[in-house]
Amino acid sequence: MTSRIPRDSRLRLVRPRPLAAAPSAVNERRPRRPAPRPPEGTPAPAELARMARSGLAAAARVARWADNALGPGRDAATTDGKATLSDATAERAASDLGLTTDRIRADWDTARLAGLVEVHGDSARPGWRLRAWNRDDSAVLRGWVALFDAWSLASPEPGDQEPGAVAEVVSAMPQVLSFLQLSAGPVPVEQLLDLLRQRVTELRTERCEVPYGAGSEPATPLAPVLLSADADPAEPAQDAELVPLLDWALHALAAVGALTYGAGQATLTPLGSWAVWVKLEQICVAAQSPAGNIEQSAEAMLRGCAQLRPNAARAEYRAWLAARTVGSAVAELLFAARGDDALLRGLAFEALRVVGAPAEPDVRAVVDEPALRPYALLWLAEHDGVDPEDAHEVLTRQEATWLWVDTAAAVADHGEAPMLVRHLESALQPTVPALLTEVRAVGHPRTVQVLVALAAAHPDPALAKAVRRAAFQVHTGGS
């Protein structure tokens, strides 16, 4: 209490409100963009869902088998913690379903990529999409799109190709798919190869890598200006590299049902054409939005979304993700989350919630990083089906306190003083002295700055003095 006015300094047990959900001063009321219509000839959503159910029927069958046969207290699904089906489980499934073990493993991988089954450690459980499989067309289509996004994981990469070259082709395929969608019919593979070569060349030029033919001298930076496209000595060597990779990519996309491939040409299926159109629409929405972050880095995109309301921010996330491969987008978001800005850390994990199941392995891999651990644990809990209102219960007291300090740092850097004072209400500790004791012990690198900012913002002189004293003790290493 102060010297004159009795004051109850206990803190209310209020669940932290996500910083991204804080009202923005920006007036976002603007005319709604009319809902776009898919290209003429696109089947109705119900028909697309029927196609997706048909294409994923084998995967759904294995997922239902796993639901009945595997799980806590029953046989384990895997033995390596990497979601690889164990030999014993694969043989049991093959016996029960009358299939070969190779077929079982392929269907199991498809089920995981489509979110029909989820693996946690050595146990498996059905994904929410499997529960809604027969009644929710949107859940079915989302599952198929998740598989489509992960097409490069659906088929083994060519073992004799450089990983860098494989990554370039994966990055270039969205442009190839867009061309197929706009063509609305069969396209010769030679034409796709030419487009792929151009896109890969662009990617290498962006990295200042100037290709040159075998046995020739490295080209100078002016060489691309002096050589015409038809006379480029690197093309034969580049084609020899890209032909097998394009063949692999087209076969992988055919395996997930996105296109048909044969007789020297490729054609998008109705599902594949619809999925590419959806992603192109997401890109167009982002390009027309006030933020327009589609071409920005993850960090710049997150900063651009900081002042948006949650729904508008999620629309930006979806568009930004649609323009990138899942793997590269997730890696870029996690890199941004590792920075010094706590606000970006929270927003990065909000964007990862939009990614959903494909991000799970990468999020699980960062659980041991102290700065990301609380965010990753909350993400995984919500991904496992825990209600967001209860997800904070998976954190230990120390982890929750660390997260409180990190969020306070975001508020101190980007919010206003009253907001920082209100942040006190979200602490787990019942009193301010208890909070200060645990905050000092948690070891967050921004503890001193947070306490100094809180002391400057709080209207209670006695409480502000106690907070300043705690900041000084942390700064000097005292007790």
Side-chain angles (χ1 to χ4, degrees), residues 209-277:
E209 294 181 7
V210 181
Y212 52 92
S216 65
E217 292 297 324
T220 67
L222 294 177
V225 178
L226 301 176
L227 290 174
S228 69
D230 294 336
D232 189 345
E235 282 193 9
Q238 190 176 14
D239 282 354
E241 176 185 44
L242 293 180
V243 166
L245 287 174
L246 177 60
D247 183 68
W248 161 73
L250 293 176
H251 273 112
L253 286 160
V256 302
L259 52 80
T260 58
Y261 175 39
Q265 61 186 19
T267 309
L268 284 180
T269 63
L271 270 173
S273 179
W274 167 79
V276 174
W277 172 79

Side-chain angles (χ1 to χ4, degrees), residues 49 73 90 138 157 184 205 234 264 284 292 311 333 354 435 438 450 455 458 475:
S138 65
E157 299 176 0
T205 302
C284 291
N311 286 341
L333 288 170
V354 175
L435 171 65
E438 295 189 33
V450 165
H458 208 284
H475 176 64

Side-chain angles (χ1 to χ4, degrees), residues 189-201:
V189 173
E190 293 82 359
Q191 196 170 356
L192 297 179
L193 178 63
D194 183 59
L195 179 62
L196 179 65
R197 180 176 61 244
Q198 293 178 35
R199 181 58 184 146
V200 169
T201 299

Side-chain angles (χ1 to χ4, degrees), residues 189-472:
V189 173
E190 293 82 359
Q191 196 170 356
L192 297 179
L193 178 63
D194 183 59
L195 179 62
L196 179 65
R197 180 176 61 244
Q198 293 178 35
R199 181 58 184 146
V200 169
T201 299
E202 290 173 359
L203 292 172
R204 292 177 178 176
T205 302
E206 290 171 3
R207 298 195 306 267
C208 298
E209 294 181 7
V210 181
Y212 52 92
S216 65
E217 292 297 324
T220 67
L222 294 177
V225 178
L226 301 176
L227 290 174
S228 69
D230 294 336
D232 189 345
E235 282 193 9
Q238 190 176 14
D239 282 354
E241 176 185 44
L242 293 180
V243 166
L245 287 174
L246 177 60
D247 183 68
W248 161 73
L250 293 176
H251 273 112
L253 286 160
V256 302
L259 52 80
T260 58
Y261 175 39
Q265 61 186 19
T267 309
L268 284 180
T269 63
L271 270 173
S273 179
W274 167 79
V276 174
W277 172 79
V278 167
K279 292 184 179 299
L280 288 173
E281 275 300 310
Q282 290 173 345
I283 293 171
C284 291
V285 169
Q288 296 175 12
S289 69
N293 295 295
I294 189 169
E295 296 182 357
Q296 302 294 325
S297 66
E299 179 177 343
M301 180 272 294
L302 294 173
R303 291 192 189 280
C305 293
Q307 297 301 318
L308 299 179
R309 291 182 182 273
N311 286 341
R314 281 190 289 271
E316 291 286 327
Y317 301 152
R318 283 191 291 269
W320 186 85
L321 292 165
R324 290 158 178 79
T325 61
V326 174
S328 64
V330 171
E332 197 172 342
L333 288 170
L334 289 174
F335 181 80
R338 293 186 178 97
D340 295 331
D341 195 327
L343 176 62
L344 298 190
R345 196 157 21 254
L347 293 177
F349 277 86
E350 287 298 320
L352 289 169
R353 285 178 174 85
V354 175
V355 176
E360 182 188 359
D362 296 273
V363 173
R364 198 172 292 280
V366 303
V367 164
D368 293 331
E369 297 184 30
L372 303 185
R373 179 175 176 80
Y375 295 95
L377 291 176
L378 290 175
W379 190 99
L380 291 168
E382 293 177 26
H383 177 66
D384 289 347
V386 177
D387 191 302
E389 292 291 329
D390 302 324
H392 65 283
E393 295 177 2
V394 304
L395 302 180
T396 65
R397 182 73 161 238
Q398 184 177 17
E399 291 163 352
T401 302
W402 196 101
L403 182 60
W404 185 91
V405 179
D406 204 51
T407 307
V411 175
D413 290 342
H414 301 277
E416 299 176 352
M419 191 176 179
L420 185 59
V421 174
R422 291 196 301 272
H423 186 59
L424 275 173
E425 298 179 354
S426 67
L428 295 176
Q429 292 75 9
T431 66
V432 171
L435 171 65
L436 295 177
T437 298
E438 295 189 33
V439 164
R440 286 160 50 187
V442 80
H444 193 288
R446 295 290 304 280
T447 298
V448 172
Q449 293 93 327
V450 165
L451 293 179
V452 169
L454 181 58
H458 208 284
D460 184 337
L463 190 147
K465 181 178 180 180
V467 174
R468 278 195 300 271
R469 184 185 302 115
F472 179 77

